[in-house]
Amino acid sequence: RVTLTLVDGLGRVAGILVDDARTPGIYTVSASVPSVGPFSSGTYFLRLLARDPVTGVSEQVLQPFTVLR
């Protein structure tokens, strides 16, 4: 299972971009998902959480980015 979440600088979830089962590979995700809406200026983090359903092992990656309007 893969979850890609957009989190603001205070740790609040601003939107969920992906939340489903995916096979290993390279994917492109658009941040113009209706559930996310427009972003205010500020620092955000993309949090990628991947969990192997067989072993139960999870990996998490956090990537910061800045939005300027």
Side-chain angles (χ1 to χ4, degrees), residues 8-58:
D8 69 11
L10 297 175
R12 298 176 297 203
V13 174
I16 298 173
L17 304 175
V18 174
D19 186 19
D20 59 14
R22 299 269 175 123
T23 57
I26 298 172
Y27 294 90
T28 301
V29 176
S30 174
S32 63
V33 177
S35 66
V36 174
F39 304 112
S40 299
S41 294
T43 301
Y44 294 86
F45 297 88
L46 283 172
R47 181 174 59 203
L48 175 65
L49 180 63
R51 184 170 102 42
D52 185 326
V54 176
T55 64
V57 175
S58 294

